[in-house]
Amino acid sequence: ATFPLPVKAFLRDDGTPVRDGDVVYLRAAADDWDDVAVLKEPGRSGEFELRIASKEAIEAILVKELADLRPDLMRAREQQRDATGKTADTKPQADGSLSAADREKLLAAEYAQRQVRGKVGDRRDGLRAKAEMLRDLAKANHLPRSNATDRAEAAAEELGRLADRDLAAVEPLLGDARQLGSQPAPKPPAENPVPGPLNRAARHQKSIDDTLTGLIDLLSQWGDAGALRGDARLLRDAVNREAGPA
């Protein structure tokens, strides 16, 4: 069973409520332990930290982390453009097949797309996971709506759509084109099957580039300045805590 435990339930040693900057150490223990085995202690969890922060401090963290996403988005776009370029350089021969060199280009494009897919969609370290964590951070702490919370929501939605739709589709299409291009060309009036998956892959690649560019532009109002503002606010809050009553 689960139940909410409000932060106000925790008090400092002097009986006052915890405040911004405090750290609460928590450990759970079972109260229905084994009463059959002799001298067996109740089960206990490991210790974990709960850091107390004001809404202002949390929004400062949000702004800084959103600013930090932008360089990673730019690197992902560069990788995507490398994959797109290799795909665009692939030209079916007159009989509809692909040369060995072009099949190698498509294999390299598949590898580049796999790198982009991992950078965006990795469940632990990917850009999607980071954006969703920031969106959930804002929601869990009931931050009022602001430019930062709106951009966190937009980044999570766009990266989720990108991972599930375009990035999931483009790699198999490149593989299909490469496999079809290695087979003998069909006899007329049958159509050459290679351009179909190549063209669909190119459309997905353009959509990926457009989405990444849109997110980079969305976060451009912050960039390094946003990270600095977030650092400055966190530093200011730390100084205020040190100057306050112990």
Side-chain angles (χ1 to χ4, degrees), residues 41-171:
E41 291 293 322
R44 290 183 173 84
S45 72
E47 187 177 84
F48 66 94
E49 292 183 1
L50 175 65
R51 294 186 175 272
I52 309 301
S54 66
K55 289 185 178 182
E56 292 77 13
I58 294 170
E59 180 152 1
I61 293 169
L62 186 63
V63 168
K64 183 178 185 302
E65 292 298 322
L66 283 170
D68 288 346
L69 276 182
R70 193 166 181 266
D72 289 335
L73 288 166
M74 295 177 73
R75 283 189 285 270
R77 185 177 63 177
E78 287 307 307
Q79 289 179 308
Q80 179 57 53
R81 289 179 175 177
D82 177 58
T84 301
K86 289 181 171 63
T87 304
D89 288 343
T90 302
K91 306 295 182 184
Q93 300 183 102
D95 64 356
S97 64
L98 294 174
S99 67
D102 277 344
R103 293 198 299 273
E104 284 298 317
K105 289 177 185 176
L106 284 185
L107 186 62
E110 285 180 70
Y111 176 76
Q113 287 296 163
R114 192 173 304 120
Q115 295 295 105
V116 177
R117 179 164 56 86
K119 191 171 189 66
V120 172
D122 184 87
R123 292 184 179 276
R124 188 182 69 176
D125 299 320
L127 292 169
R128 177 185 188 175
K130 291 178 181 178
E132 289 177 346
M133 182 272 292
L134 294 177
R135 178 193 61 192
D136 294 345
L137 175 71
K139 288 183 177 180
N141 288 281
H142 306 291
L143 292 186
R145 184 175 178 181
S146 65
N147 284 339
T149 60
D150 285 349
R151 280 158 175 72
E153 181 74 31
E157 288 184 1
E158 286 298 300
L159 288 168
R161 182 190 60 78
L162 189 66
D164 293 339
R165 190 184 75 177
D166 294 309
L167 285 170
V170 65
E171 201 177 322

Side-chain angles (χ1 to χ4, degrees), residues 13-44:
D13 290 343
D14 61 3
T16 59
V18 292
R19 60 179 183 172
D20 186 21
D22 287 346
V23 179
V24 178
Y25 296 92
L26 297 175
R27 178 179 292 170
D31 60 2
D32 56 346
W33 63 88
D34 182 356
D35 59 359
V36 175
V38 178
L39 301 179
K40 186 176 181 180
E41 291 293 322
R44 290 183 173 84

Side-chain angles (χ1 to χ4, degrees), residues 170-217:
V170 65
E171 201 177 322
L173 287 169
L174 293 174
D176 289 345
R178 181 169 53 84
Q179 291 296 327
L180 291 168
S182 66
Q183 299 171 7
K187 296 180 179 180
E191 292 186 359
N192 176 15
V194 174
L198 270 183
N199 290 336
R200 292 197 297 275
R203 287 196 293 269
H204 284 293
Q205 287 175 327
K206 183 179 185 306
S207 180
I208 295 166
D209 191 293
D210 289 346
T211 299
L212 291 173
T213 297
L215 288 172
I216 290 166
D217 291 343

